[in-house]
Amino acid sequence: MPNTQPRATDPPPEGRHLILVGNGDAHLHVAAHAERLIRHGVRVTLVTRQDFAFSDWFGGMLGGEWQRDDVRLPADRIAVHGGVHVGADVVQVDRHQRRLTLTDGRELDYDWLSLDLPPVVDEHAIPGFYTAQGVFTVSADDLWQLRQRLESQLAGAAARLPRVALLGGGPNGVELAANLLALGERYGRRLPVTLIANDRKLLPGACQRANRWLTQRLHRRGLQLELVAKATRYHRGQLILDDGSGVDADLLVVTDHLKPSPTLEMFGLTRDENDAIDVDAKLRSRQDPNLFLAREKPAGRSARLTTRERNALLLASLEEAAGGESRALHHGHNEHWKALNLGDLRDIAWRGPLWCRGRWVRRWKHRRDRREVAHYLGER
C-alpha cells in the first residue's frame, strides 16, 4: 500500500493548511466533515498517535452492550473525507513561524491550528486519591479495564463485590452510573454504585419532571445518590464529603477533577487564575488568532458546552475561518435533543422543557449514533 503521509523532504503542497492536534471528540467531528473545509481550498491534517473513540458509546461499553473495538474509530479514516493522518506527537511548537516539529522529525507548517487534547486526572484534587484500589478516567481503555475487573468478580458468586463511586454528575456521570448498574443486572447481582455530584438535579438542563422520573428509576435500580456534595479526601476505603459524611468506595471513576493535557504547555499560552485560556465566542484564542481550542469555555457562555454543541461550534468556526466570511453561529442550549443510554432499554431524551423516555428513545439514539459512526468510517 503506498505511503501517502507527508515527509520532511516533500515539497509543501499548495493551499492553506489546517492542522488538528489531538484525538478528542471535537476533532472526530471535524475529521468526519473535513470535506466542508477542503471545499474552501484548505488542506486538513490530523496529528495524533491514538485512534478516536466514540464517547457516546462509553456508557454502553461499560454496561456490556458494546465491545472496546466497537468504540474505537481509526484516525486514518480521515482520508475518506479528504484529510491526511500523521501518526506522531508534537515535540516542539513555533507559533511565530506557525510550525510544528513532530516525534518522527517532520516539520509541518500551518495556517490554522486546532487543539483537542483529552484532559488528565488532577492527582492533587483529592488527597489520598490514589490509595483506592483503582482509579479510572472516562477513556475507552480505562472503562474497558474497569468492566473486565468487575465482570470477573460478578461472575464469582461468592466474591464480595467492590463498591464503585463516580465523582462528577451531569449527563456523563449519570450514563456511566446507570450502565454500571446494568452490568450488575446482566449477572443478576446488584453492584454497589454511588454517584457524587455538586448539582441539585441529575440533569441540570432538563425539566423537573424528567429529573424526578430519572431519580426514581435509578433509585429503584439501587443507585446511591449524593447530590450537592463534593468529595474532599479519600481515607481508608471512604470518600469524605464536604459535610463530613463518608461514602464507602473501593473503585473510583473520575469524570471531573481534571486538568488540561500537559502537551498544551508547549504552546506557551497564558492562563488565568482559573487555569483557563482566553478564547472568543468561536473558540479562537485571543492571544493567537490562528489557534483554536476546542476544550475551553467560549466567551459569553455561563456554562461549558455539551460535547455535541462544542463539536458543532468548532467545525462552524473553522469553516468560517477557511471561507473568510463572518457569519452568526447559532448554538443555543436547547436546539438539539440530548439522549442518555440508561442500560435497561428505556433511555431518556430531553430538549429544554420537553422530555420523553422509553424503548423508542433507545432505537432513535442507536440509529443516530450508528449513522454518525458509519459516516466517519465511510460506510454506506
Side-chain angles (χ1 to χ4, degrees):
M1 188 173 178
N3 180 13
T4 59
Q5 305 296 351
R7 298 172 300 180
T9 57
D10 291 339
E14 295 182 0
R16 296 166 299 166
H17 195 193
L18 165 66
I19 298 181
L20 311 172
V21 176
N23 67 325
D25 293 326
H27 280 178
L28 171 60
H29 185 69
V30 173
H33 298 87
E35 53 266 81
R36 287 171 52 175
L37 302 167
I38 293 169
R39 291 194 202 107
H40 295 285
V42 173
R43 294 179 293 123
V44 180
T45 299
L46 170 66
V47 176
T48 178
R49 283 186 185 273
Q50 293 79 31
D51 285 332
F52 290 117
F54 190 62
S55 62
D56 276 24
W57 285 351
F58 281 2
M61 182 188 71
L62 183 58
E65 180 180 358
W66 303 106
Q67 302 303 311
R68 179 165 54 176
D69 288 345
D70 293 326
V71 307
R72 282 181 169 173
L73 303 180
D76 60 10
R77 296 301 288 175
I78 191 176
V80 174
H81 306 281
V84 173
H85 171 234
V86 177
D89 292 326
V90 177
V91 294
Q92 188 174 347
V93 180
D94 186 339
R95 289 198 290 110
H96 297 290
Q97 296 295 322
R98 298 184 196 169
R99 180 171 299 150
L100 302 180
T101 303
L102 308 183
T103 47
D104 58 7
R106 274 179 281 194
E107 293 185 343
L108 299 179
D109 294 331
Y110 65 86
D111 294 276
W112 302 283
L113 186 64
S114 177
L115 305 179
D116 188 14
L117 298 157
V120 297
V121 173
D122 183 355
E123 61 274 15
H124 302 296
I126 300 179
F129 212 40
Y130 281 99
T131 62
Q133 295 179 20
V135 178
F136 303 88
T137 63
V138 186
S139 67
D141 289 340
D142 267 20
L143 294 177
W144 178 257
Q145 181 185 355
L146 174 60
R147 171 180 156 185
Q148 298 302 298
R149 182 167 177 170
L150 291 173
E151 283 190 308
S152 66
Q153 294 173 287
L154 285 164
R160 183 186 75 84
L161 295 179
R163 301 159 299 184
V164 187
L166 288 101
L167 300 173
N172 197 21
V174 169
E175 187 166 73
L176 293 176
N179 277 277
L180 280 169
L181 298 175
L183 186 64
E185 291 160 0
R186 284 176 179 268
Y187 287 85
R189 304 183 68 184
R190 177 166 286 191
L191 188 65
V193 181
T194 303
L195 176 62
I196 302 170
N198 195 30
D199 296 307
R200 294 187 178 277
K201 300 188 293 185
L202 286 175
L203 301 177
C207 68
Q208 187 63 37
R209 288 183 61 196
N211 274 279
R212 186 184 308 114
W213 177 85
L214 180 61
T215 301
Q216 292 172 350
R217 184 161 192 83
L218 292 177
H219 184 264
R220 286 197 300 270
R221 293 173 64 189
L223 180 65
Q224 178 182 342
L225 283 172
E226 295 288 347
L227 297 179
V228 197
K230 291 183 179 180
T232 60
R233 59 192 173 95
Y234 183 84
H235 182 66
R236 295 184 178 181
Q238 279 196 328
L239 280 167
I240 309 302
L241 305 184
D242 50 0
D243 64 357
S245 62
V247 172
D248 293 334
D250 303 307
L251 306 177
L252 308 179
V253 182
V254 183
T255 66
D256 57 11
H257 302 290
L258 303 175
K259 63 181 181 180
S261 168
T263 304
L264 277 175
E265 295 178 7
M266 71 176 67
F267 291 87
L269 296 168
T270 303
R271 295 183 174 277
D272 62 20
E273 63 277 4
N274 297 317
D275 203 29
I277 298 172
D278 189 18
V279 298
D280 65 15
K282 300 175 183 179
L283 297 172
R284 190 192 295 255
S285 168
R286 296 190 192 275
Q287 187 177 349
D288 184 347
N290 300 106
L291 187 60
F292 293 81
L293 296 118
R295 293 185 177 267
E296 298 299 321
K297 186 170 71 175
R301 288 296 189 109
S302 58
R304 288 190 176 274
L305 304 178
T306 66
T307 298
R308 289 179 179 275
E309 288 171 338
R310 184 177 70 238
N311 296 352
L313 176 58
L314 179 63
L315 178 59
S317 299
L318 292 173
E319 189 174 14
E320 177 185 301
E325 298 178 359
S326 180
R327 67 187 72 180
L329 300 179
H330 302 287
H331 45 265
H333 283 291
N334 299 327
E335 287 186 356
H336 304 290
W337 283 89
K338 305 172 182 68
L340 290 186
N341 173 359
L342 299 181
D344 63 350
L345 301 180
R346 290 175 176 82
D347 293 349
I348 184 171
W350 72 99
R351 182 181 131 184
L354 306 176
W355 75 287
C356 52
R357 79 295 194 274
R359 293 178 182 271
W360 77 269
V361 176
R362 162 62 58 93
R363 292 193 294 270
W364 167 76
K365 184 179 187 304
H366 271 211
R367 284 197 299 269
R368 182 196 67 180
D369 293 346
R370 287 182 181 276
R371 185 168 58 246
E372 291 181 9
V373 170
H375 173 76
Y376 172 70
L377 295 176
E379 298 172 352
R380 296 292 182 185

